[in-house]
Amino acid sequence: MQGLYENISTLKGVGPKKQQRLLKLNIETLEDLLYHFPRGYEDRREIKKVKELREGEKTALELQVHPLKKRRSFGRGPSLLQLVGQDDTGRILITFFNQAYLSQKITPGTRLRIYGEVKRGPRGMEVANPDFLLLGDPQGSSWQEIFPIYPLTKDLSQKELVKLIKMLLDSLKEKDENEETFENLPRSLIRENKLCQRLTALEHIHFPRHAQGLKVAKYRLIYEEFFYLVITLNYKKAKVLVEEGTVLGGEREVQGFLKSLPFEATGAQKTVIGEVQRDLGRKVPMSRLVQGDVGSGKTVVAMAALVAAVASGTQGAMMAPTEILAKQHYGTLRQFLNPLGISVGLLTGSLTGKNKKRMQEKIQEGRVDVVVGTHAVISEKVEFQNLSLVITDEQHRFGVRQRKTLSKKGNNPHVLVMSATPIPRTLAYILYGDLEVSVIDQMPKGRKPIETKACPNSQRDTVYQGIKDELNRGRQAYVVCPLIDESETLDLNAATELHNRLKKNILKDYKVGLLHGKMTYTEKEEIMQQFTNQELQVLVATTVVEVGVDVANATVMVIENAERFGLAQLHQLRGRIGRGEHQSYCYLLHHEVKDHTLQRLGIMEKTNNGFLISEKDLEIRGPGELFGLRQHGIYNLKIANFFRHQNILTKVQRDVAELLREDPMLSLEKNRDLRSLLEDKLQRYRD
């Protein structure tokens, strides 16, 4: 097994140049080469007649060769070997470039099977440089009935990849005739799931002999890929479960907090609060994700957990990705927790040195019960007296290391992470495999669904008239500029240009502000305060408004070039409106008229359900694109698909749960090899 992690350069025929080309395909080791799967196959088993040929199609023919014509090139041009192939329905011209040596193999009267793309030339149908099989000499050709088609890079051909993979598979078969030492799944699971052996699966995925063999190979490899994803994450979780944290109570205080709210908590909120309280009452530190749609009331769940922490004589911390969001949380927590005698402090990077030091002293001395802040909370100078609970909001914007650093500020504190990016539950268990998952799938009473309409750019005047109508009623509006790429500079330029254009033309009679990510915290705060105070009627912004901007009077949003956004992000942006009592409207302006674009935007028109939208986004774009996880090797699935293979994923999750129930740390003798493999994989991901 260890040999598969050897560099690809150890394979015969891979020199420095080829190694660099393979690296462009993320093929660095021998294992990477084995798991570089075909994107499709050419089925060469069906033999056609010459009279059935159509221009432009790739096809297989069986022909008898007529006398050859060999041409020498002039200057540096290619040499040509031309021959005529004939069956009982007609003839076709066959041309080989720079392969004059074939005239020794393909002699008049030879029977030949060829595969290639047919074109119509001056003398009828013809094919150039086809793959061929000498029917009298199977060893003397490159023929393969089901031919794999691989993702390629420049200067690397299909035949080169096929040759390398075939060579590697042949060498593995020689070393491991019974395949057992090459196996990487527990034998019990192979038997129970009737899986083929790993080496068999790899051989059939690359070089299938028939459809059934390919089907069996795919199932095995999909199961294997899901298995290592699920067990790696659950194994990491099992390691956490051996730690001990602080047992928190406060049930009576939490109930008092809920009764003090000026509104009735939803059933979903109460259910999730109950799940959190059960976790807090255990010795094992809580690791729970609470996900819910925009406006579903996750903050109430967070506050209930903080009440439990403070009631137990400890401190809590809440971390937000931006200063705007941190300050909004600070205001909300003070409003609802101060009347209960709970002190709340704010710690952000923009605090002056003197104020920052004073806040750090209060935290260390325990004079602040709850600390709200940005990444400043995890700086080395911040020390807590007794931190028992850590909450991170919009957790997908934090790195794992940031969350771990915050957790180390206390004695194995309970961790609650919140996300307003709805994710299908099955996928959430994978993406956040080291967390339990709670879902708030119910909206507070009185929320009106946002009316959404996708409009072509030709309807721009009508859309902006809709904005004016709302502004004239005393409401406010967002205009989100096009998402160009991940460059903040380009997005800033687009926002600035749009802002100037609207101020001078369409919205010249209204007060229009600009908000973008390049602004300082003070500048952002000033603009947001002006918008909140209704000193600005329209806010032109980049996607910085996606998180943490909450103005109930804003009832209309226009998203320019909506086709450039994913569905999940469109939904997040739309969530900035519809937060008050008035009906809200979202217009998706687009330049494209392609069917798939209209289909995607049509989903936004039909539903306000973020979980349904996320499922569609997952189906269309895949988890890597949707959640920005392509750079994390652990999530780079090569053959499995979260959406199409949910039944296999569910089976894997059950199998892994049963395996770890019996042996949580994989310490039994029969699981020793599996544990070694997992530790090795985790180490390579860390490296």
Side-chain angles (χ1 to χ4, degrees), residues 32-44:
D32 293 336
L33 180 63
L34 284 177
Y35 283 79
H36 185 72
F37 298 132
R39 58 177 171 80
Y41 302 88
E42 289 178 346
D43 190 344
R44 304 176 176 187

Side-chain angles (χ1 to χ4, degrees), residues 476-618:
Q476 290 164 277
Y478 296 103
V479 177
V480 181
C481 78
L483 179 72
I484 297 173
D485 58 16
E486 294 182 0
S487 163
E488 285 189 14
T489 303
L490 290 175
D491 286 350
L492 165 59
N493 292 340
T496 304
E497 182 185 341
L498 181 61
H499 172 252
N500 292 336
R501 195 166 67 244
L502 292 177
K503 273 186 74 172
K504 293 177 181 177
N505 300 299
I506 306 174
L507 299 177
K508 63 182 180 181
D509 297 325
Y510 303 90
K511 296 173 183 175
V512 183
L514 174 64
L515 183 69
H516 56 75
K518 286 283 188 178
M519 288 177 165
T520 65
Y521 170 71
T522 304
E523 291 170 333
K524 291 177 188 173
E525 184 69 14
E526 184 179 348
I527 291 293
M528 280 311 306
Q529 199 59 52
Q530 289 175 7
F531 193 61
T532 302
N533 296 340
Q534 300 186 33
E535 296 167 24
L536 291 173
Q537 296 166 284
V538 180
L539 188 61
V540 177
T542 60
T543 53
V544 70
V545 300
E546 181 184 344
V547 173
V549 180
D550 189 355
V551 178
N553 191 52
T555 59
V556 61
M557 173 177 283
V558 174
I559 302 177
E560 296 269 356
N561 290 89
E563 72 275 6
R564 295 184 181 179
F565 296 83
L567 291 179
Q569 192 167 34
L570 288 174
H571 181 65
Q572 286 288 300
L573 291 166
R574 179 172 63 178
R576 295 304 106 205
I577 58 175
R579 306 176 78 84
E581 58 182 336
H582 306 292
Q583 179 62 54
S584 292
Y585 308 89
C586 180
Y587 298 100
L588 307 175
L589 272 175
H590 60 88
H591 288 270
E592 292 187 7
V593 291
K594 296 176 182 175
D595 289 343
H596 66 86
T597 299
L598 299 179
Q599 180 186 5
R600 285 177 56 249
L601 298 182
I603 294 167
M604 295 293 297
E605 292 180 309
K606 292 173 185 174
T607 183
N608 280 263
N609 185 318
F611 289 94
L612 177 60
I613 289 169
S614 72
E615 285 186 4
K616 293 294 183 183
D617 214 8
L618 175 63

Side-chain angles (χ1 to χ4, degrees), residues 633-649:
I634 199 167
Y635 297 113
N636 286 347
L637 301 179
K638 295 178 183 296
I639 190 169
N641 182 287
F642 286 115
F643 187 81
R644 291 198 302 270
H645 304 135
Q646 284 193 20
N647 58 328
I648 305 178
L649 174 58

Side-chain angles (χ1 to χ4, degrees), residues 118-327:
V118 177
K119 294 184 178 179
R120 185 174 295 279
R123 289 175 285 181
M125 291 297 190
E126 58 184 48
V127 61
N129 279 342
D131 285 344
F132 66 92
L133 171 68
L134 295 171
L135 293 178
D137 180 19
Q139 301 302 316
S141 66
S142 60
W143 184 266
Q144 191 155 327
E145 287 200 326
I146 302 177
F147 191 83
I149 304 298
Y150 295 97
L152 295 176
T153 188
K154 187 179 179 183
D155 297 324
L156 191 67
S157 70
Q158 297 288 351
K159 286 185 179 180
E160 285 178 296
L161 263 180
V162 166
K163 184 178 178 181
L164 289 175
I165 293 169
K166 216 173 184 51
M167 185 192 311
L168 179 54
L169 282 170
D170 288 344
S171 69
L172 290 171
K173 283 193 290 184
E174 287 176 14
K175 293 177 186 175
D176 187 21
E177 291 182 3
N178 63 12
E179 297 189 337
E180 286 192 5
T181 58
F182 187 68
E183 190 50 70
N184 64 349
L185 287 176
R187 294 175 191 173
S188 59
L189 294 183
I190 292 174
R191 287 194 305 270
E192 289 167 17
N193 293 282
K194 298 179 180 177
L195 303 175
C196 68
Q197 294 289 336
R198 183 190 189 192
L199 193 54
T200 301
L202 288 168
E203 189 176 8
H204 282 271
I205 198 74
H206 288 292
F207 309 115
R209 300 185 187 94
H210 43 71
Q212 183 60 27
L214 180 59
K215 182 179 179 181
V216 169
K218 281 185 175 179
Y219 188 93
R220 149 71 203 223
L221 293 167
I222 291 167
Y223 183 99
E224 176 189 315
E225 198 163 47
F226 277 147
F227 176 82
Y228 273 97
L229 178 59
V230 174
I231 200 166
T232 300
L233 295 168
N234 280 274
Y235 178 62
K236 287 168 64 181
K237 184 191 294 185
K239 283 186 166 184
V240 174
L241 293 178
V242 300
E243 300 173 345
E244 285 196 10
T246 305
V247 176
L248 302 180
E251 291 84 357
R252 182 171 54 83
E253 287 81 358
V254 169
Q255 290 305 312
F257 159 70
L258 292 175
K259 288 178 182 177
S260 73
L261 295 173
F263 50 82
E264 175 78 16
T266 65
Q269 285 174 316
K270 291 176 182 177
T271 297
V272 174
I273 288 171
E275 292 170 347
V276 170
Q277 281 194 282
R278 281 194 294 276
D279 286 351
L280 296 177
R282 296 170 180 158
K283 284 185 178 180
V284 175
M286 173 178 69
S287 293
R288 183 169 290 276
L289 165 71
V290 174
Q291 61 164 343
D293 225 330
V294 175
S296 61
K298 296 181 296 298
T299 307
V300 170
V301 174
M303 288 192 291
L306 290 167
V307 167
V310 176
S312 303
T314 63
Q315 292 169 295
M318 188 168 183
M319 190 168 159
T322 66
E323 294 204 19
I324 291 176
L325 186 54
K327 195 162 185 181

Side-chain angles (χ1 to χ4, degrees), residues 404-459:
K404 281 186 177 178
T405 303
L406 185 53
S407 295
K408 288 177 182 176
K409 294 288 183 182
N411 178 30
N412 294 326
H414 299 278
V415 176
L416 181 67
V417 296
M418 304 194 300
S419 177
T421 304
I423 306 166
R425 187 184 286 267
T426 304
L427 183 56
Y429 281 119
I430 298 298
L431 295 177
Y432 309 113
D434 53 341
L435 303 171
E436 300 297 329
V437 180
S438 292
V439 176
I440 304 178
D441 54 5
Q442 185 180 2
M443 297 298 284
K445 292 179 181 177
R447 283 288 176 97
K448 296 179 180 178
I450 299 167
E451 292 186 15
T452 303
K453 186 168 180 56
C455 304
N457 201 48
S458 58
Q459 295 180 11

Side-chain angles (χ1 to χ4, degrees), residues 82-126:
Q82 291 187 318
L83 53 104
V84 174
Q86 182 176 9
D87 63 15
D88 58 359
T89 68
R91 293 186 170 197
I92 183 170
L93 180 68
I94 306 170
T95 303
F96 292 99
F97 294 98
N98 291 327
Q99 298 180 71
Y101 67 92
L102 290 179
S103 63
Q104 304 301 315
K105 285 187 174 184
I106 308 175
T107 56
T110 301
R111 291 197 59 76
L112 197 69
R113 184 178 295 173
I114 68 169
Y115 184 88
E117 183 178 349
V118 177
K119 294 184 178 179
R120 185 174 295 279
R123 289 175 285 181
M125 291 297 190
E126 58 184 48

